[in-house]
Amino acid sequence: MKKGFVFTASVILIVLILVLFASFYAQKNAESERQILKTSAILKAGFAADDVESDLNELLGLKTSITRNNPVTIITINDSLPSSLHFSNFSEWSSFVSGNYATQQNASIVINASALADGKAELLFSNGLEYDHQYSNDQNYVKFFNPSGSTNAVTFDVNLVISGAQYDSENSNAWVCPHGGDVNVRLNLKDAFGSTIESECQMHAHQEYEYEIAFVGKNGNVKVKFGSIDGNNGSLKIENNLEDSDVNVNIILRTELPRSINPIKAYYNVDLNYAQADVNINKLLEVAEN
């Protein structure tokens, strides 16, 4: 009798343990599934943000890279003047992303590109630097600067390739190279006819220098400025003041800065708001990091 009772109690205890284990396993499995779904949603949101950033890069035509080497950080920007940018393109693109693309992703995506509606596309860097591309009809320039002080750049390489015009050396005005400057500025220009400019100067970040470049039979000029521009030391500005809009100035701007300990990120001044279930992303559109 006693053995039967012990056996029955043992069976009941084993069954209870199995029930508890099954319940625990089911809860753990459900939690794991929730975590997997949440992780999947986060990854999907990240991929969607990458897609939007890639599209905007193609739309703006800017190419930006950041490299950190000892002892410098190198920022390279490819651009052109004049620009083919039109804010209507941004409006159409934003509507597509918020509409068709968001529907495909089963998410809410809102793009705020209003900061580009003023005719200026801003590229913002996490170390405080800024690159502006003014693309309105009355002004046509790019500017690399620090709105809060000096860029602290040690080198600027300005490479210009001109299509549709021939360099006029006689009517151009070169900048005067000083002695003992703290920033090495190199200007290289090549036009479609094989004419070139090769200039290298050691300049002072707190002064202003200007290279005025004329072209045969063209009204206006291209200006390359360095130094204290609009009160921002160590700035670089390239202006296309030519009246002929068919003349294109292709730009490769490369600057070296003291090496940053922390990674540097570059963003367009465009807000991305992404929401799907309990996943939310609110950020500026990132275009480069290193």
Side-chain angles (χ1 to χ4, degrees):
M1 184 73 175
K2 184 180 290 186
K3 289 183 178 180
F5 175 78
V6 172
F7 176 77
T8 301
S10 299
V11 171
I12 293 173
L13 181 61
I14 291 171
V15 171
L16 287 174
I17 291 173
L18 290 174
V19 170
L20 290 173
F21 178 78
S23 177
F24 171 77
Y25 179 79
Q27 292 178 3
K28 186 175 180 62
N29 190 49
E31 180 61 26
S32 297
E33 289 181 356
R34 284 193 293 270
Q35 290 298 325
I36 291 172
L37 289 174
K38 185 174 181 179
T39 302
S40 177
I42 293 173
L43 289 174
K44 183 179 179 181
F47 290 142
D50 289 343
D51 284 345
V52 172
E53 289 165 350
S54 177
D55 285 348
L56 186 59
N57 271 328
E58 291 295 325
L59 187 64
L60 292 179
L62 288 176
K63 295 181 180 179
T64 307
S65 66
I66 303 171
T67 305
R68 290 190 299 151
N69 296 325
N70 283 327
V72 295
T73 293
I74 302 170
I75 298 175
T76 304
I77 300 173
N78 291 34
D79 203 352
S80 64
L81 290 170
S83 173
S84 60
L85 298 176
H86 299 286
F87 188 68
S88 60
N89 294 341
F90 294 117
S91 299
E92 293 172 5
W93 172 74
S94 299
S95 298
F96 168 77
V97 172
S98 300
N100 293 350
Y101 183 76
T103 300
Q104 293 173 4
Q105 300 298 317
N106 192 29
S108 171
I109 305 176
V110 178
I111 300 292
N112 182 1
S114 60
L116 304 181
D118 57 359
K120 183 168 63 177
E122 296 97 344
L123 192 62
L124 310 176
F125 294 84
S126 57
N127 62 348
L129 298 176
E130 185 170 331
Y131 176 85
D132 289 354
H133 185 136
Q134 185 79 28
Y135 61 88
S136 61
N137 293 328
D138 57 336
Q139 297 186 69
N140 198 14
Y141 68 81
V142 298
K143 181 182 175 185
F144 185 90
F145 66 108
N146 184 342
S148 301
S150 177
T151 60
N152 294 319
V154 294
T155 297
F156 273 106
D157 282 323
V158 185
N159 299 280
L160 306 179
V161 178
I162 311 297
S163 60
Q166 183 175 8
Y167 167 55
D168 184 351
S169 60
E170 292 185 3
N171 293 303
S172 296
N173 295 308
W175 45 36
V176 178
C177 293
H179 297 286
D182 50 1
V183 184
N184 189 47
V185 181
R186 291 187 287 265
L187 170 63
N188 295 287
L189 177 144
K190 184 177 182 179
D191 68 15
F193 298 85
S195 301
T196 61
I197 292 175
E198 294 182 359
S199 173
E200 183 169 357
C201 293
Q202 294 291 329
M203 298 182 175
H204 299 281
H206 61 278
Q207 297 180 8
E208 184 174 346
Y209 308 87
E210 179 179 285
Y211 205 121
E212 183 179 304
I213 306 167
F215 296 90
V216 176
K218 302 294 182 181
N219 293 325
N221 54 50
V222 170
K223 292 182 179 180
V224 180
K225 300 180 180 180
F226 172 78
S228 181
I229 302 172
D230 304 322
N232 306 121
N233 290 346
S235 300
L236 195 287
K237 187 175 184 181
I238 304 170
E239 300 176 359
N240 183 352
N241 303 309
L242 293 168
E243 295 181 6
D244 188 346
S245 60
D246 292 331
V247 178
N248 193 65
V249 182
N250 293 297
I251 302 167
I252 301 177
L253 175 61
R254 181 180 181 274
T255 182
E256 295 183 359
L257 314 164
R259 187 180 187 277
S260 169
I261 297 175
N262 299 317
I264 297 176
K265 296 182 179 182
Y267 308 88
Y268 286 121
N269 194 14
V270 175
D271 290 314
L272 167 66
N273 297 284
Y274 180 103
Q276 185 180 49
D278 58 348
V279 176
N280 291 277
I281 292 180
N282 299 287
K283 57 179 290 189
L284 293 175
L285 288 183
E286 183 180 328
V287 294
E289 177 184 4
N290 200 330

